């Protein structure tokens, strides 16, 4: 992992305001024009992401990967919604996505958050500790495949009984 020559210039850090345009460009490249219609995007329209829980990977100062986390509630339970996670195509499969996911989970746990959820591919996220939630338990404001809603407990059992509408805190 992370074994190519440029890795010495690869830096991870918190998202800063100056990164916003590059992050938007990476998301556009990764998810295309339909991204704004996704249920997760609708949640992010209601609730701002938390820069202190969101991270970038920079190569020579240029953002090449990003993960954001948004504080929300599910019913009356606080939770973080993770996403988007994206890495520039030419830098895939170097472990950058996994490293961003690890930083996000560690920062969330340090901030006292109890659970993270996301909409994504099981094959990528289950090895990172995420597990599917019971279909229908998390109600998102927009079309979503329930089988793709996954959660990561940061304290034991925190994913249990996670039920209700996703809304701003
Ligand atoms: C998903 C993504 C963020 C992974 O970033 P990355 O830096 O390449 O991730 P890592 O290097 O940590 O992991 C790469 C591994 O994950 C696998 N992988 C990538 N996307 C995957 C997916 N959707 N499902 C299953 N496995 C996936 C790769 O095949 C690779 O496997 P390998 O290590 O055996 O080669 C990146 O591919 C991306 O930006 N994709 C487009 C946007 C996207 O799909 N975001 C996630 C929403 S589900």
């Amino acid at each position: 992992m992370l074994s190519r020559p440029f890795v010495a210039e690869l830096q991870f850090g918190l998202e800063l305001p100056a990164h916003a345009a590059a992050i938007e460009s990476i998301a556009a490249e990764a998810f295309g024009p339909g991204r704004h219609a996704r249920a997760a995007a609708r949640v992010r329209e209601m609730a701002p992401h938390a820069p202190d829980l969101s991270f970038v990977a920079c190569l020579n100062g240029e953002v090449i990967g990003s993960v954001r986390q948004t504080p929300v509630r599910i019913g009356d339970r606080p939770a973080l919604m993770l996403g988007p996670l994206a890495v520039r195509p030419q830098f895939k499969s170097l472990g950058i996505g996994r490293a961003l996911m690890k930083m996000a989970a560690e920062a969330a746990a340090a901030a006292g958050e109890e659970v993270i959820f996301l909409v994504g591919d099981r094959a990528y996220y289950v090895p990172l500790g995420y597990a599917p939630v019971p279909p229908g338990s998390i109600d998102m404001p927009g079309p979503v495949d329930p089988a793709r809603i996954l959660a990561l407990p940061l304290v034991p059992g925190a994913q249990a009984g996670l039920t209700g509408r996703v809304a701003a805190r």
Side-chain angles (χ1 to χ4, degrees):
M1 186 173 93
L2 299 183
S3 60
R4 294 188 187 174
F6 65 77
V7 165
E9 300 147 64
L10 183 62
Q11 291 190 317
F12 292 88
L14 279 174
E15 179 186 326
L16 300 174
H19 297 142
I23 292 169
E24 175 58 23
S25 160
I26 292 171
E29 182 179 37
F31 300 106
R35 66 192 183 283
H36 299 297
R38 292 167 174 237
R42 294 196 187 168
V43 173
R44 287 190 289 268
E45 284 168 11
M46 303 185 309
H49 74 284
D52 58 336
L53 297 172
S54 300
F55 295 90
V56 292
C58 294
L59 182 65
N60 297 328
E62 187 180 331
V63 181
I64 59 165
S66 157
V67 65
R68 282 178 163 169
Q69 300 195 93
T70 300
V72 296
R73 58 187 166 81
I74 300 172
D76 59 6
R77 298 259 307 273
L80 285 179
M81 188 183 74
L82 185 142
L85 167 72
V87 173
R88 287 279 191 208
Q90 60 270 45
F91 300 110
K92 283 182 179 175
S93 290
L94 295 170
I96 294 171
R98 274 192 296 266
L100 288 168
M101 290 298 293
K102 184 167 184 282
M103 294 177 81
E106 288 176 354
E113 297 288 340
E114 296 187 354
V115 63
I116 304 173
F117 80 101
L118 57 77
V119 181
D121 291 340
R122 291 185 186 193
Y124 187 73
Y125 293 106
V126 166
L128 303 180
Y130 282 79
V133 303
S137 58
I138 296 181
D139 177 16
M140 295 187 70
V144 63
D145 176 355
R148 288 170 54 80
I149 303 181
L150 314 174
L152 174 72
L154 301 172
V155 296
Q159 82 284 14
L162 207 53
T163 305
R165 183 80 168 169
V166 177
R169 281 193 192 167

